Amino acid sequence: MPLRKDMLNGDPESLHQPLLSSQRSLVNSTSQVAIVGSNVSPIESLDYEIIENEFFKQDWRSRGASQIFQYICMKWLLCFLIGFIVSLIAFCNNLAVENLAGIKFVITSNMMLERRFLLAFAVFFASNLALTIFSATITALIAPAATGSGIPEVKAYLNGVDAPGIFTLRTLFVKIIGSITAVSSSLLIGKAGPMVHTGACVASLLGQGGSKRYGLTWKWLRFFKNDRDRRDLVMCGSAAGIAAAFRAPVGGVLFALEEMTSWWRSALLWRAFFTTAIVAIVLRAMIDVCLSGKCGLFGKGGLIMFDVYSASMSYHLAEVPLVFILGVIGGILGSLYNFMLNKVLRIYNFINEKGTICKIALACVISIFTSFLLFGLPWFASCQRCPPDATEPCPTIGRSGNFKKFQCPPDHYNDLASLIFNTNDDAIRNLFSRDTNDEFQYSSMFIFFITCFFLSIFSYGVVAPAGLFVPVIVTGASYGRFVGMLVGEKTNLHHGLYAVLGAASFLGGSMRTTVSLCVIMLELTNNLLLLPLIMMVLLVSKTVADAFNANIYDLIMKAKGFPYLETHAEPYMRQLTVGDVVTGPLQMFNGIEKVRNIVFILKSTSHNGFPVIDEPPLSQAPVLSGLILRDHLVTLLKNKVFSSTPRVIGDDVFKKFTSDDFAKKGSNKGDKIEDIHLSEEEMEMFIDLHPFTNTSPYTVVETMSLGKALTLFREVGLRHLLVIPKISGRSPVVGILTRHDFMLEHILGVHPLLVRSRWKRLRFRIPCLGNIFSGI
């Protein structure tokens, strides 16, 4: 297997240098480390390929029909459990945020009514700061992997990148508690992204039978002993997370298909749909309970649902140009949002490198700035007289409503306070509300849009669970409503519908998904009449934004250093062969190998897979026998399946093992070669590797184009791809391709002349590559 240049040169710092360092102009995706949450951690690839060795075949042949039936039933049972648990978590999460934020706003509003403004600000400021400190502290000290939305980490996992700590029980706990407190602290962040990570954590923990570290294990759940089955469960968990966050079961399935997963099949679609259906049913039952008044003072089933339906709504071709312009501007704003957020995350990472105290201090600074901004800006808005035909009490006495009194005299309301001095969900409800065309001023809507645009950028990078979905919806809705106000009476669409279209265009410009976002927006608004217009703004905004940069999650993955394999091969890959990028030296084993050699290679390299070669007298000429994994070699050494002479062992060796011995452990939980202790006599013995060697590994000829190899590598979900020579008589294996060999930085390192001879032409033909190399 090829050794990296930093390994050959013995440079230890290359394995620990932060990827988002401000001193780098290029992101090193070929490194073996990445930023997971807020910490730099080593990463590995996942084995989605089925290892078809003799032991695996014997294990399957020994299974009866009842065991196979039980295996299939367990998949459906786990999907049910995932949907049920994730929906309960989402409901409790929402209820906690509603109550925490509600108590804070009611106390503050009551003090405002009593004209005790300074005391009201002190309570608002102190509660926000305390909640932020609590969330940042538990995240930084207990589970740094819980930082952010978690969607980039889950997406990288489904692509084949294994990051430590992203699916542990500790991460799940911090993700839930930290998200509740961070969202309640009035930071402009959402809870939808963390719900995706939460769903994936629940699925992963169920798939591996619980957590051994905390003694929470269930043997009857340990049916899924490979990365392939666990990947399917994690995908169902991510779909359940979106479905629970937005009460959008179909949108959750489509989001997992369009944005998250890198590999799909019809059976997986069926199970994902079943999982989100369970989510929808459980949430509906919980909402019915809350509607009876049993969920606390503010728990009225406030899961996101913005009803903007209007039976008399109609639109004509005259509205199409306006909607088109809305999509164009949304695409431009979305790409600008991605660009600025990427830059801010780099700056934050430079601060976070200084240590835990700096991480928490940064979160405190953002919280203090947010509190001053949210409490201070409404003072610059003029008070409006309550409309005589208002559909709700004016001014609003309590937490939510369109007519916040704030500092205004009786029978007046502060329109900016109704938006900014509120929870994100209530702000969206106010923006989406119908029959409210005259309730907001131009200046208030513009100030709110600018505030949300920049505040969401600066809030996302703090060390706390934070999502982007809801902030993007709030920002887009304010922009859309502002456009609707500018258009005025020239259109049949009311301002609430323009807010919906603005939110859709900004989502399309930032996240670049179309089908899933369209369905999510329809499920959010409960209005099918908007379908053609939402489809149009999403298509236009995505097309415009793609001309500038990639979607926000891809940019974050790139900045974090995850070696993510894209769906398409870049044009330059068609001009290179796999033989052009394979580097050496290559470490191989004989079919019957001495124990000392195996131990030496395992200790001197960190490779996960090794070719196994048969030479005379086992074969007439050197021939490739297959591929054996590091974990399997360590298991063989641990069980000391040795022989004193180099000979082929029989099938009796299978009796010494069970399928659990070779089952894939959780992330970084497998046995290590350093834990194996052998005597000098055992080191001189031999192991027959044939029964444990994958005799049907994927191979490609060295003359195959790199682009075609990338397609095979990604679609099959490989970790290793053997390169064999085109002409016989040479070594049976030229090298091994791993995902790092497909990264542009590695290719340019092997062929630096590409930078001079082809780069100028490539950066105009491939805008996204030009963006990467300009530091975006």
Side-chain angles (χ1 to χ4, degrees):
M1 189 173 188
L3 291 173
R4 305 289 167 212
K5 289 184 176 181
D6 49 12
M7 296 179 184
L8 292 174
N9 295 334
D11 182 9
E13 294 184 359
S14 61
L15 296 178
H16 302 283
Q17 187 171 354
L19 301 180
L20 285 179
S21 174
S22 58
Q23 298 177 356
R24 291 191 177 189
S25 59
L26 303 181
V27 178
N28 182 14
S29 292
T30 64
S31 174
Q32 302 291 334
V33 295
I35 295 180
V36 182
S38 61
N39 283 359
V40 178
S41 305
I43 57 173
E44 293 286 345
S45 294
L46 294 163
D47 294 306
Y48 289 152
E49 178 188 2
I50 297 296
I51 306 301
E52 296 179 343
N53 52 33
E54 288 300 322
F55 182 80
F56 170 83
K57 296 174 183 177
Q58 178 68 21
D59 180 57
W60 271 96
R61 284 195 297 264
S62 63
R63 295 191 180 189
S66 61
Q67 289 177 300
I68 297 177
F69 178 75
Q70 190 176 9
Y71 171 77
I72 295 173
C73 289
M74 283 301 301
K75 286 188 175 182
W76 289 98
L77 176 60
L78 285 188
C79 287
F80 172 83
L81 291 176
I82 291 169
F84 184 77
I85 295 173
V86 170
S87 57
L88 289 181
I89 292 174
F91 177 77
C92 295
N93 189 333
N94 183 80
L95 200 61
V97 171
E98 291 278 315
N99 281 274
L100 277 176
I103 292 173
K104 177 184 66 178
F105 280 115
V106 164
I107 294 176
T108 306
S109 297
N110 289 339
M111 292 179 177
M112 297 285 289
L113 290 175
E114 298 171 1
R115 316 298 291 181
R116 294 188 294 175
F117 300 126
L118 287 178
L119 184 59
F121 173 71
V123 171
F124 182 72
F125 173 86
S127 58
N128 287 343
L129 185 60
L131 290 169
T132 302
I133 291 176
F134 178 80
S135 179
T137 301
I138 64 172
T139 304
L141 297 180
I142 300 177
T147 301
S149 69
I151 290 181
E153 284 82 358
V154 177
K155 186 175 179 179
Y157 177 89
L158 294 174
N159 189 258
V161 180
D162 187 18
I166 60 173
F167 295 142
T168 62
L169 187 63
R170 185 167 52 181
T171 301
L172 175 61
F173 171 79
V174 173
K175 202 75 179 185
I176 297 172
I177 304 301
S179 176
I180 291 172
T181 52
V183 173
S184 301
S185 69
S186 293
L187 292 175
L188 196 56
I189 55 179
K191 54 183 181 289
M195 274 308 305
V196 175
H197 193 182
T198 298
C201 284
V202 171
S204 179
L205 288 170
L206 289 176
Q208 65 189 27
S211 174
K212 285 186 178 181
R213 180 173 184 176
Y214 300 100
L216 300 174
T217 58
W218 305 276
K219 292 183 179 180
W220 58 277
L221 285 178
R222 296 180 193 172
F223 270 78
F224 307 105
K225 304 169 183 176
N226 56 71
D227 290 329
R228 189 186 185 94
D229 288 334
R230 293 174 187 169
R231 172 192 60 184
D232 293 350
L233 291 174
V234 168
M235 197 286 303
C236 292
S238 63
I242 284 290
F246 293 115
R247 213 170 79 188
V250 179
V253 175
L254 293 176
F255 182 81
L257 168 63
E258 185 177 7
E259 177 64 23
M260 300 298 295
T261 187
S262 300
W263 187 83
W264 194 266
R265 67 180 188 276
S266 58
L268 187 56
L269 174 65
W270 195 10
R271 288 201 295 273
F273 186 74
F274 172 73
T275 306
T276 57
I278 298 299
V279 171
I281 293 171
V282 174
L283 286 180
R284 181 69 263 174
M286 292 295 102
I287 290 174
D288 289 341
V289 172
C290 278
L291 291 176
S292 64
K294 298 179 181 179
C295 293
L297 184 60
F298 307 101
K300 300 297 183 182
L303 290 164
I304 297 177
M305 177 62 77
F306 312 114
D307 188 0
V308 294
Y309 177 76
S310 175
S312 60
M313 187 191 75
S314 62
Y315 48 87
H316 308 285
L317 288 177
E319 274 85 28
V320 172
L322 292 176
V323 174
F324 182 85
I325 295 174
L326 199 70
V328 172
I329 299 176
I332 296 173
L333 290 176
S335 60
L336 177 62
Y337 185 88
N338 292 0
F339 173 81
M340 294 184 64
L341 180 59
N342 198 24
K343 295 296 186 182
V344 170
L345 290 179
R346 292 174 181 272
I347 297 174
Y348 281 7
N349 183 74
F350 179 76
I351 298 174
N352 291 337
E353 291 175 7
K354 306 299 181 181
T356 302
I357 299 299
C358 292
K359 294 178 182 180
I360 299 175
L362 175 61
C364 293
V365 169
I366 299 301
S367 176
I368 293 171
F369 177 73
T370 300
S371 296
F372 275 99
L373 206 61
L374 298 186
F375 196 90
L377 285 177
W379 292 88
F380 295 95
S382 60
C383 295
Q384 304 294 305
R385 180 172 295 276
C386 291
D389 56 346
T391 58
E392 60 180 78
C394 179
T396 301
I397 305 299
R399 183 176 66 86
S400 61
N402 282 31
F403 305 103
K404 282 277 189 177
K405 186 175 184 298
F406 207 68
Q407 89 289 6
C408 295
D411 297 327
H412 289 71
Y413 70 97
N414 189 313
D415 60 335
L416 183 56
S418 300
L419 297 174
I420 207 169
F421 197 68
N422 224 332
T423 63
N424 291 332
D425 290 357
D426 288 331
I428 296 174
R429 289 188 181 93
N430 294 343
L431 289 169
F432 283 6
S433 60
R434 59 180 183 269
D435 302 327
T436 56
N437 286 1
D438 299 323
E439 291 183 9
F440 299 103
Q441 303 176 80
Y442 291 96
S443 57
S444 297
M445 193 58 59
F446 182 75
I447 291 173
F448 182 66
F449 164 68
I450 296 298
T451 302
C452 291
F453 187 90
F454 289 100
L455 203 56
S456 61
I457 291 175
F458 289 107
S459 299
Y460 178 76
V462 299
V463 184
L468 284 172
F469 254 104
V470 172
V472 169
I473 291 176
V474 174
T475 306
S478 59
Y479 142 71
R481 181 135 190 156
F482 182 73
V483 172
M485 294 169 64
L486 292 177
V487 174
E489 302 297 330
K490 300 177 183 178
T491 177
N492 293 328
L493 303 179
H494 62 74
H495 297 173
L497 295 179
Y498 270 103
V500 174
L501 296 177
S505 69
F506 201 65
L507 282 169
S510 177
M511 300 185 180
R512 313 292 166 82
T513 55
T514 52
V515 179
S516 59
L517 285 179
C518 181
V519 175
I520 289 174
M521 292 301 297
L522 292 178
E523 291 180 292
L524 276 178
T525 59
N526 196 26
N527 192 347
L528 275 175
L529 296 176
L530 289 174
L531 178 60
L533 298 181
I534 291 179
M535 292 175 64
M536 181 177 178
V537 294
L538 283 172
L539 289 171
V540 172
S541 61
K542 172 179 166 53
T543 303
V544 171
D546 279 340
F548 297 98
N549 50 32
N551 77 63
I552 186 60
Y553 296 126
D554 286 351
L555 289 176
I556 294 176
M557 280 194 301
K558 194 72 179 177
K560 284 176 173 288
F562 290 119
Y564 185 84
L565 298 179
E566 299 292 346
T567 56
H568 61 279
E570 301 291 357
Y572 70 89
M573 289 187 174
R574 303 295 180 186
Q575 312 302 321
L576 298 172
T577 65
V578 294
D580 293 331
V581 299
V582 168
T583 56
L586 181 66
Q587 303 290 347
M588 297 182 292
F589 291 119
N590 292 316
I592 302 176
E593 186 62 79
K594 180 177 285 190
V595 173
R596 184 180 298 277
N597 294 339
I598 296 176
V599 172
F600 174 77
I601 292 178
L602 291 181
K603 287 186 175 181
S604 59
T605 68
S606 60
H607 308 324
N608 180 73
F610 303 89
V612 177
I613 307 299
D614 278 339
E615 296 181 333
L618 296 179
S619 62
Q620 295 182 353
V623 62
L624 174 64
S625 177
L627 182 80
I628 191 166
L629 300 181
R630 165 183 285 268
D631 290 341
H632 292 183
L633 288 170
V634 173
T635 300
L636 294 177
L637 293 173
K638 180 181 179 180
N639 289 272
K640 301 183 178 181
V641 189
F642 308 149
S643 60
S644 56
T645 59
R647 61 182 177 85
V648 177
I649 59 177
D651 294 340
D652 294 339
V653 69
F654 297 145
K655 299 178 182 178
K656 300 180 180 180
F657 297 97
T658 65
S659 56
D660 290 336
D661 293 327
F662 293 96
K664 178 65 182 292
K665 308 296 189 299
S667 298
N668 294 328
K669 296 179 181 177
D671 296 319
K672 307 295 183 183
I673 184 61
E674 291 77 15
D675 300 329
I676 306 298
H677 302 286
L678 302 173
S679 65
E680 280 298 320
E681 181 181 359
E682 291 170 333
M683 295 285 279
E684 296 301 323
M685 290 184 171
F686 297 87
I687 300 181
D688 183 7
L689 303 180
H690 292 99
F692 310 97
T693 298
N694 180 10
T695 56
S696 57
Y698 284 91
T699 61
V700 295
V701 182
E702 60 182 336
T703 55
M704 176 183 282
S705 72
L706 191 62
K708 187 179 291 186
L710 171 64
T711 302
L712 172 65
F713 197 96
R714 188 183 190 275
E715 293 299 323
V716 182
L718 300 178
R719 183 172 185 174
H720 310 97
L721 184 59
L722 298 181
V723 180
I724 59 176
K726 183 177 182 179
I727 302 174
S728 59
R730 299 166 53 190
S731 173
V733 182
V734 175
I736 297 182
L737 285 176
T738 63
R739 65 175 49 246
H740 296 280
D741 295 310
F742 294 99
M743 297 296 107
L744 178 63
E745 293 80 6
H746 168 73
I747 296 172
L748 292 178
V750 178
H751 299 280
L753 293 180
L754 282 175
V755 180
R756 296 181 180 178
S757 63
R758 300 181 182 180
W759 177 242
K760 290 184 178 180
R761 181 169 69 253
L762 284 174
R763 72 175 299 165
F764 289 106
R765 292 173 59 189
I766 316 170
C768 63
L769 293 183
N771 290 334
I772 292 173
F773 271 80
S774 61
I776 293 178

